[in-house]
């Protein structure tokens, strides 16, 4: 359940008409729980979304993760290919550096920025064992 729009089921897309500036109705493109921030990979083959904990895992704590989608080159539809939620506990925002090799993730509960390697062939990310602590 999304906190902003309870009926939301994930990431939506719409089409922009370049002649008159109108938008088509939004359609569900990628199902995921409570996405709050999305960004395209520089190679345009993947989209990542921060999920902010509305879904429950085994009726315990809210589950926060980074959802990973591949993008169909023809239809632009999203296909879920995984989540990274085991290492980063409360992701809030992320940035993918221009070469697409690394993702920097702001981890609220850890008070740090975590570095992930981005596999450009599969879209999957893995922790690079590098973190930078953020102090006030």
């Amino acid at each position: 359940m999304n906190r902003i729009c309870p009926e939301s089921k994930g990431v939506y897309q719409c089409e922009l008409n370049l002649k008159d500036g109108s938008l088509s109705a939004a359609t569900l493109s990628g199902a995921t729980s409570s996405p709050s921030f999305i960004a395209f990979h520089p190679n345009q083959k993947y989209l990542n979304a921060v999920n902010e904990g509305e879904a429950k895992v085994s009726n315990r704590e809210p589950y926060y993760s980074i959802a990973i989608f591949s993008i169909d080159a023809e239809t632009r539809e999203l296909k879920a290919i995984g989540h990274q939620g085991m290492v980063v506990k409360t992701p809030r925002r992320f940035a993918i550096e221009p070469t697409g090799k690394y993702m920097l993730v702001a981890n609220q509960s850890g008070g740090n920025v975590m570095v992930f390697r981005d596999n450009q062939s599969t879209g999957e990310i893995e922790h690079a064992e590098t973190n930078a602590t953020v102090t006030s």
Side-chain angles (χ1 to χ4, degrees), residues 84-90 107 114 116 126-129 131:
Q84 174 51 264
M86 300 308 290
V87 177
V88 58
K89 292 192 179 190
T90 50
N107 181 25
M114 303 178 78
F116 288 83
E126 71 174 81
H127 189 225
E129 305 298 327
N131 300 326

Side-chain angles (χ1 to χ4, degrees), residues 12 15 17 26 61 64 66 74 82 87 99 114:
Y12 290 77
E15 297 289 326
N17 182 322
E61 295 298 313
Y64 297 83
I66 299 171
E74 299 281 322
V87 177
T99 69
M114 303 178 78

Side-chain angles (χ1 to χ4, degrees), residues 8-24:
S8 177
K9 295 187 179 1
V11 178
Y12 290 77
Q13 71 177 23
C14 54
E15 297 289 326
L16 171 65
N17 182 322
L18 294 176
K19 291 183 181 178
D20 65 13
S22 64
L23 288 175
S24 67

Side-chain angles (χ1 to χ4, degrees), residues 14-50:
C14 54
E15 297 289 326
L16 171 65
N17 182 322
L18 294 176
K19 291 183 181 178
D20 65 13
S22 64
L23 288 175
S24 67
T27 57
L28 181 64
S29 184
T32 192
S33 112
S34 198
S36 65
F37 179 80
I38 63 171
F40 291 96
H41 189 278
N43 68 16
Q44 301 296 302
K45 294 179 182 178
Y46 305 104
L47 179 133
N48 298 99
V50 169

Side-chain angles (χ1 to χ4, degrees), residues 79-122:
K79 177 184 175 189
I81 57 175
H83 283 83
Q84 174 51 264
M86 300 308 290
V87 177
V88 58
K89 292 192 179 190
T90 50
R92 288 296 179 245
R93 297 289 182 268
F94 62 85
I96 303 169
E97 55 83 31
T99 69
K101 293 179 184 176
Y102 296 97
M103 175 187 285
L104 304 172
V105 179
N107 181 25
Q108 181 180 357
S109 64
N112 60 4
V113 175
M114 303 178 78
V115 179
F116 288 83
R117 283 186 202 86
D118 200 329
N119 184 323
Q120 296 185 51
S121 302
T122 65

